[in-house]
Amino acid sequence: MDQETFSALRETVQRFVSERLVPNEDRLESEDAVPLEIIQEMRELGLFGLSIPEEYGGLGLNMAEEAEVIYELGRTAFAYRSVIGTTVGIGSQGIVIDGTEAQKREWLPQLASGEKMASFALTEPGAGSDAASIKTKATKDGDVYRLNGTKRYITNAPRAGMFTVMARSEPDVAGPGAITAFIVPAGTKGMSFGKPDKKMGQKGTITTDVIFEDAVVPAANIIGGVPGRGFKTAMKVLDRGRIHLSALASGMSQRLLEEQVRYASERQQFGEKIGSFQLVQALIADSRVDGYASKVMVSDVARRFDAGEKVSADVACTKYFTSEAVGRVADRTVQIFGGAGYMAEYKAERFYRDVRLLRIYEGTSQIQQIIIAKALLREAGLSV
Ligand code: COS
């Protein structure tokens, strides 16, 4: 996108966040749902199509541009971003990266407009960090596959129009090479949802189990048309998704820093504003360091991703650092707010719980550490 159009888009999103999203944060929390009129406004702004190429009806942002937009959306309750997140990111990107031309033409325009949402179904009750051990089976039956198995914690499942589903289709192959990515339209017979999960935070986001019982999917719905490539598709999608989440973490670090500074400039103790105490200043300074380093890492890795460099290990560094950093920033925010920081009516308490998920989803901190270390050791010739 040209610089001028992109600047206008970023300003529009900044205004949308400050004028529409932030003022509705309390309503979102109490109703445990993103208001429908806000979802409609997101469609009108084109937010569902951020990362989908222009030729398929999206805005066609590159990773660096997407990260800047997601940074802005990170400055408010995470449930808003979650509405568009699976369509912009993990749910659609399998098709964008590895899909056939026919799959792109069929699905991407409907996703870009927000007419249909996309969802990503990899995790299972017995397969989280060890994604290659998924058990959901896709059994070939003529020119269709029959899917059987359960997917867990699937974001936006009940409102999605299509799913990118990873299943084991090659009985004679062990490990990741047996996994195929399928496009499964919502409403496919044999597919059902569990009850909405009750979570620690992130009110307004929806996750459920997705259950397949002999769900019939045409072989033509294999992403890229070739079975056995689904694990690699999932890993590529997650590389991109982890940059997206790092931008989100970095936006929230900034929001929390602003909350800290505002509170420290208003709250009075011992006859002075608490911001004049050096121990409080240290908490603010450390939060700025974490937030600034996060922002710089995201922008560096996104730029190199766009340039086509192999950056998986640095994506892992960025996801690891930014998600841990925002955890520290949120913790310091609670500390600066003191008793008020522990009370549900203040944002510090809410965001403290919300950011906890960042260290877990799309690869835990420990998985990121493993990706980083293995990449370095393999480069040195050690087989790990
Ligand atoms: N991009 C492209 N290909 C990749 C890749 C990437 N980022 N990462 C791995 N691959 C490829 C490997 O190159 C390998 O291919 P070959 O067999 O041709 O060499 C194949 O995929 C298997 O890779 P690997 O042996 O590293 O797989 P592991 O089973 O050891 O798993 C981890 C690797 C742990 C990194 C992976 O399972 C993972 O990311 N787990 C976390 C899952 C996750 O994020 N879950 C969240 C669910 S979505 S909210």
Side-chain angles (χ1 to χ4, degrees), residues 354-373:
D354 287 353
V355 302
R356 189 64 184 82
L357 184 59
L358 283 163
R359 284 189 261 166
I360 299 169
Y361 64 174
E362 295 192 27
T364 60
S365 290
Q366 290 66 34
I367 288 294
Q368 309 308 329
Q369 288 174 300
I370 286 166
I371 294 172
I372 299 161

Side-chain angles (χ1 to χ4, degrees), residues 146-318:
R146 294 183 182 279
L147 265 57
N148 283 286
T150 298
K151 296 293 180 178
R152 183 137 291 176
Y153 312 140
I154 305 306
T155 303
N156 287 327
R159 56 186 171 196
M162 64 76 68
F163 296 77
T164 297
V165 179
M166 266 54 65
R168 205 165 271 290
S169 67
E170 309 306 296
D172 303 332
V173 180
I179 296 173
T180 297
F182 291 90
I183 299 169
V184 181
T188 295
K189 209 162 147 268
M191 179 166 86
S192 60
F193 306 118
K195 282 202 228 88
D197 300 314
K198 291 185 181 153
K199 301 187 283 293
M200 175 191 279
Q202 304 241 352
K203 279 269 178 71
T205 58
I206 304 174
T207 60
T208 69
D209 278 4
V210 179
I211 303 138
F212 297 99
E213 289 163 306
D214 251 348
V216 174
V217 180
N221 285 20
I222 291 178
I223 292 185
V226 184
R229 296 195 179 160
F231 186 79
K232 285 190 187 171
T233 297
M235 289 301 119
K236 287 186 255 178
V237 163
L238 283 170
D239 270 347
R240 213 174 184 290
R242 287 166 186 162
I243 302 177
H244 175 115
L245 285 186
S246 301
L248 185 75
S250 145
M252 182 48 84
S253 282
Q254 177 60 25
R255 165 70 185 272
L256 288 164
L257 178 67
E258 287 162 15
E259 296 282 340
Q260 293 179 5
V261 170
R262 187 182 52 73
Y263 194 78
S265 339
E266 287 167 4
R267 171 79 174 161
Q268 197 147 331
Q269 286 295 282
F270 304 103
E272 282 181 61
K273 299 285 195 275
I274 62 169
S276 39
F277 301 124
Q278 290 182 339
L279 292 179
V280 173
Q281 290 171 7
L283 294 169
I284 292 174
D286 287 353
S287 298
R288 170 65 185 160
V289 174
D290 275 332
Y292 180 48
S294 297
K295 200 168 183 211
V296 172
M297 285 179 89
V298 171
S299 102
D300 177 69
V301 86
R303 184 183 48 75
R304 289 168 46 220
F305 180 94
D306 286 332
E309 276 183 49
K310 274 185 86 180
V311 285
S312 298
D314 285 344
V315 168
C317 291
T318 307

